[in-house]
Tab-separated table of all heavy atoms in Angstrom:
chain	number	residue	atom	x	y	z
A	11	GLY	N	14.937	4.380	3.645
A	11	GLY	CA	15.723	5.600	3.843
A	11	GLY	C	17.218	5.327	3.783
A	11	GLY	O	17.663	4.205	3.501
A	12	ARG	N	17.996	6.381	4.055
A	12	ARG	CA	19.449	6.268	3.992
A	12	ARG	C	19.984	5.318	5.064
A	12	ARG	O	19.365	5.133	6.113
A	12	ARG	CB	20.079	7.650	4.211
A	12	ARG	CG	19.800	8.621	3.104
A	12	ARG	CD	20.111	10.042	3.524
A	12	ARG	NE	19.195	10.555	4.529
A	12	ARG	CZ	19.120	11.832	4.906
A	12	ARG	NH1	19.936	12.729	4.384
A	12	ARG	NH2	18.249	12.211	5.819
A	15	GLY	N	20.210	6.490	8.528
A	15	GLY	CA	19.374	7.685	8.474
A	15	GLY	C	18.260	7.636	9.509
A	15	GLY	O	18.175	6.715	10.339
A	16	ASN	N	17.383	8.635	9.423
A	16	ASN	CA	16.318	8.765	10.426
A	16	ASN	C	15.331	7.605	10.386
A	16	ASN	O	14.891	7.113	11.428
A	16	ASN	CB	15.595	10.095	10.199
A	16	ASN	CG	16.548	11.265	10.365
A	16	ASN	OD1	17.183	11.412	11.406
A	16	ASN	ND2	16.678	12.085	9.327
A	17	GLY	N	15.023	7.150	9.166
A	17	GLY	CA	14.084	6.031	9.031
A	17	GLY	C	14.637	4.758	9.648
A	17	GLY	O	13.904	4.010	10.313
A	18	GLU	N	15.925	4.508	9.428
A	18	GLU	CA	16.532	3.300	10.022
A	18	GLU	C	16.513	3.397	11.547
A	18	GLU	O	16.238	2.412	12.241
A	18	GLU	CB	17.974	3.117	9.528
A	18	GLU	CG	18.072	2.416	8.185
A	18	GLU	CD	19.428	1.730	7.967
A	18	GLU	OE1	20.325	1.850	8.826
A	18	GLU	OE2	19.567	1.070	6.909
A	98	PRO	N	11.091	7.416	3.843
A	98	PRO	CA	11.243	8.871	3.758
A	98	PRO	C	10.210	9.503	2.836
A	98	PRO	O	9.789	8.894	1.851
A	98	PRO	CB	12.656	9.058	3.195
A	98	PRO	CG	13.007	7.798	2.528
A	98	PRO	CD	12.222	6.703	3.199
A	99	THR	N	9.828	10.711	3.169
A	99	THR	CA	8.905	11.479	2.334
A	99	THR	C	9.717	12.316	1.351
A	99	THR	O	10.586	13.086	1.756
A	99	THR	CB	8.061	12.418	3.224
A	99	THR	OG1	7.351	11.625	4.170
A	99	THR	CG2	7.096	13.240	2.398
A	100	TYR	N	9.447	12.098	0.066
A	100	TYR	CA	10.052	12.917	-0.982
A	100	TYR	C	8.900	13.550	-1.759
A	100	TYR	O	8.006	12.836	-2.241
A	100	TYR	CB	10.873	12.077	-1.967
A	100	TYR	CG	12.160	11.460	-1.442
A	100	TYR	CD1	12.889	10.597	-2.263
A	100	TYR	CD2	12.671	11.733	-0.176
A	100	TYR	CE1	14.084	10.023	-1.831
A	100	TYR	CE2	13.864	11.153	0.262
A	100	TYR	CZ	14.560	10.299	-0.565
A	100	TYR	OH	15.732	9.722	-0.138
A	101	ASP	N	8.914	14.844	-1.918
A	101	ASP	CA	7.843	15.536	-2.670
A	101	ASP	C	6.459	15.147	-2.141
A	101	ASP	O	5.582	14.698	-2.910
A	101	ASP	CB	7.929	15.229	-4.173
A	101	ASP	CG	9.259	15.673	-4.755
A	101	ASP	OD1	9.869	16.600	-4.193
A	101	ASP	OD2	9.700	15.084	-5.756
A	102	LEU	N	6.293	15.253	-0.867
A	102	LEU	CA	5.018	14.995	-0.150
A	102	LEU	C	4.635	13.521	-0.070
A	102	LEU	O	3.714	13.150	0.651
A	102	LEU	CB	3.826	15.750	-0.773
A	102	LEU	CG	3.967	17.188	-1.242
A	102	LEU	CD1	2.617	17.691	-1.764
A	102	LEU	CD2	4.464	18.096	-0.155
A	142	VAL	N	8.719	9.556	7.212
A	142	VAL	CA	9.831	10.309	7.815
A	142	VAL	C	10.160	11.508	6.937
A	142	VAL	O	10.587	11.336	5.788
A	142	VAL	CB	11.091	9.414	7.916
A	142	VAL	CG1	12.181	10.124	8.703
A	142	VAL	CG2	10.764	8.055	8.530
A	143	GLY	N	9.967	12.706	7.452
A	143	GLY	CA	10.199	13.869	6.600
A	143	GLY	C	10.883	15.023	7.300
A	143	GLY	O	10.875	15.118	8.537
A	144	GLY	N	11.419	15.906	6.494
A	144	GLY	CA	12.095	17.082	7.027
A	144	GLY	C	11.117	18.146	7.497
A	144	GLY	O	11.497	19.053	8.243
A	145	SER	N	9.869	18.035	7.067
A	145	SER	CA	8.876	19.065	7.381
A	145	SER	C	7.776	18.520	8.282
A	145	SER	O	7.865	17.397	8.776
A	145	SER	CB	8.258	19.596	6.091
A	145	SER	OG	9.253	20.136	5.274
A	149	TRP	N	3.994	19.560	4.475
A	149	TRP	CA	4.888	19.116	3.397
A	149	TRP	C	5.007	17.587	3.355
A	149	TRP	O	5.887	17.042	2.683
A	149	TRP	CB	6.272	19.770	3.539
A	149	TRP	CG	6.329	21.032	2.718
A	149	TRP	CD1	6.015	22.295	3.132
A	149	TRP	CD2	6.658	21.132	1.329
A	149	TRP	NE1	6.135	23.175	2.091
A	149	TRP	CE2	6.534	22.495	0.968
A	149	TRP	CE3	7.037	20.209	0.350
A	149	TRP	CZ2	6.782	22.946	-0.328
A	149	TRP	CZ3	7.294	20.676	-0.938
A	149	TRP	CH2	7.164	22.025	-1.258
A	150	GLN	N	4.135	16.917	4.101
A	150	GLN	CA	4.085	15.440	4.026
A	150	GLN	C	2.635	15.010	3.835
A	150	GLN	O	2.224	13.935	4.272
A	150	GLN	CB	4.629	14.827	5.313
A	150	GLN	CG	6.089	15.096	5.584
A	150	GLN	CD	6.653	14.095	6.594
A	150	GLN	OE1	6.773	12.914	6.333
A	150	GLN	NE2	6.979	14.594	7.777
A	177	VAL	N	12.664	16.171	10.631
A	177	VAL	CA	13.958	15.482	10.739
A	177	VAL	C	14.594	15.472	9.354
A	177	VAL	O	14.081	14.869	8.426
A	177	VAL	CB	13.825	14.069	11.356
A	177	VAL	CG1	13.264	14.170	12.764
A	177	VAL	CG2	12.952	13.137	10.550
A	178	GLY	N	15.673	16.167	9.190
A	178	GLY	CA	16.297	16.334	7.888
A	178	GLY	C	17.573	15.538	7.740
A	178	GLY	O	17.584	14.456	7.148
A	180	PRO	N	20.734	13.023	8.515
A	180	PRO	CA	20.760	11.737	9.227
A	180	PRO	C	21.050	11.936	10.714
A	180	PRO	O	21.962	12.695	11.063
A	180	PRO	CB	21.908	10.978	8.540
A	180	PRO	CG	22.030	11.615	7.194
A	180	PRO	CD	21.641	13.055	7.359
B	401	FMN	C1	14.460	14.352	-3.092
B	401	FMN	C2	14.021	14.698	-1.707
B	401	FMN	C3	12.753	15.227	-1.522
B	401	FMN	C4	12.299	15.520	-0.237
B	401	FMN	N1	11.019	15.989	-0.086
B	401	FMN	C5	10.529	16.165	1.146
B	401	FMN	C6	9.152	16.568	1.321
B	401	FMN	O1	8.409	16.781	0.368
B	401	FMN	N2	8.681	16.708	2.584
B	401	FMN	C7	9.468	16.480	3.674
B	401	FMN	O2	8.970	16.609	4.799
B	401	FMN	N3	10.773	16.094	3.547
B	401	FMN	C8	11.324	15.930	2.313
B	401	FMN	N4	12.629	15.519	2.165
B	401	FMN	C9	13.469	15.297	3.379
B	401	FMN	C10	13.572	13.807	3.810
B	401	FMN	O3	12.300	13.241	3.930
B	401	FMN	C11	14.289	13.730	5.156
B	401	FMN	O4	15.647	14.092	4.977
B	401	FMN	C12	14.228	12.366	5.839
B	401	FMN	O5	14.817	12.455	7.115
B	401	FMN	C13	14.928	11.270	5.050
B	401	FMN	O6	14.870	10.057	5.753
B	401	FMN	P1	16.150	9.110	5.951
B	401	FMN	O7	17.065	9.848	6.900
B	401	FMN	O8	15.604	7.856	6.537
B	401	FMN	O9	16.767	8.890	4.631
B	401	FMN	C14	13.142	15.284	0.898
B	401	FMN	C15	14.414	14.771	0.685
B	401	FMN	C16	14.861	14.474	-0.580
B	401	FMN	C17	16.238	13.885	-0.776
Side-chain angles (χ1 to χ4, degrees):
R12 293 165 291 191
N16 299 304
E18 276 204 356
T99 301
Y100 291 175
D101 300 334
L102 318 182
V142 188
S145 301
W149 267 91
Q150 296 199 67
V177 299

